[in-house]
Amino acid sequence: MHGERHVSLFRNGRNQAIRIPREFELEGTEAIIYKEGDKLIIEPIRKKSLTAVLATLSPVAEDFPEFIDLPIEPEDIF
């Protein structure tokens, strides 16, 4: 963990903004920001793995139609 760093707050249109020093840069292009008391906490949004996404899905309740595996017939393509 890096130490503390004094930074300046500024206005960007109607928003208050802060320049994040290089040693505190977050990965990615999006983050979540929230307050805990007087603290402002910024966390990067990490992409979930496919396994994690699949684990959040509920099972399919309906039956799939029966799959008929037809034999392959040769075709003359010349």
Side-chain angles (χ1 to χ4, degrees):
M1 180 89 179
H2 297 284
E4 294 178 355
R5 179 97 184 258
H6 182 209
V7 295
S8 297
L9 303 175
F10 62 96
R11 291 302 244 178
N12 183 6
R14 294 179 50 181
N15 296 311
Q16 186 178 39
I18 181 173
R19 287 202 202 294
I20 299 174
R22 181 165 289 195
E23 64 264 25
F24 293 105
E25 283 183 2
L26 301 174
E27 292 182 13
T29 58
E30 294 184 291
I32 294 175
I33 186 170
Y34 59 94
K35 286 183 87 169
E36 282 185 2
D38 289 342
K39 294 180 181 182
L40 186 62
I41 300 170
I42 304 171
E43 296 180 355
I45 295 177
R46 296 190 192 342
K47 293 189 178 188
K48 293 181 181 179
S49 69
L50 179 58
T51 306
V53 171
L54 292 174
T56 65
L57 301 176
S58 55
V60 178
E62 62 188 73
D63 291 331
F64 287 100
E66 184 178 333
F67 180 74
I68 301 170
D69 194 8
L70 299 173
I72 300 174
E73 297 190 20
E75 284 199 33
D76 187 8
I77 57 173
F78 295 103

